[in-house]
Every structure is written in structure tokens, then in C-alpha cells.
Amino acid sequence: MFLSIGIPAHNEENTIARTIKSILKNSAWKKSFGKREIIVCCNDCTDTTADIVRNLKLVIPEIQLIEVAE
């Protein structure tokens, strides 16, 4: 089974960590035995959203970060 969750983000420094942690607590995430990933796409963020995701990625390797200047 492959579980891929996408999170579009624009200046979400106040909520991004809580959102990701909520996904990690979800039963679908916990029961996934195959490959799983959380893809956060930061769309022209001017706050610390991307930095927060980078720090979470250090302890949660399933996180992928995409940054776009849009």
C-alpha cells in the first residue's frame, strides 16, 4: 500500500506543525505498512513555514518539501 498526503501551504507557520502532527496520529497513517509520505508544497511563503517543515523532516523522514515561487 502506498499512502501519499499533499499539503498546499502559503504562510502557514502558525498551523503547519500541528497539521503534520495530526496526520501522524491518524489511523490511516499508523496502519500504512507500505511506503508513505507527506508532501508539503510551500507556495511563495514569506514566513517560516518552510523552515518549520525542514526541521520536522529531520525527525520525520517521510516528509518531502517542495518550494515554489508563485
Side-chain angles (χ1 to χ4, degrees):
M1 182 174 139
F2 183 80
L3 178 62
S4 183
I5 299 171
I7 303 172
H10 176 73
N11 294 341
E12 300 294 337
E13 68 185 1
N14 294 325
T15 60
I16 194 66
R18 187 171 59 241
T19 300
I20 291 171
K21 289 175 184 177
S22 175
I23 290 168
L24 297 175
K25 292 177 184 177
N26 187 285
S27 62
W29 181 266
K30 290 180 179 181
K31 292 179 182 179
S32 177
F33 295 107
K35 182 176 169 142
R36 57 190 182 180
E37 65 184 357
I38 299 171
I39 303 169
V40 180
C41 183
C42 290
N43 183 5
D44 196 28
C45 291
T46 57
D47 64 0
T48 62
T49 301
D51 293 330
I52 292 167
V53 174
R54 277 189 211 92
N55 287 330
L56 287 170
K57 184 174 171 52
L58 294 174
V59 294
I60 307 164
E62 294 94 350
I63 294 176
Q64 303 297 323
L65 174 63
I66 300 170
E67 294 182 79
V68 294
E70 197 57 37

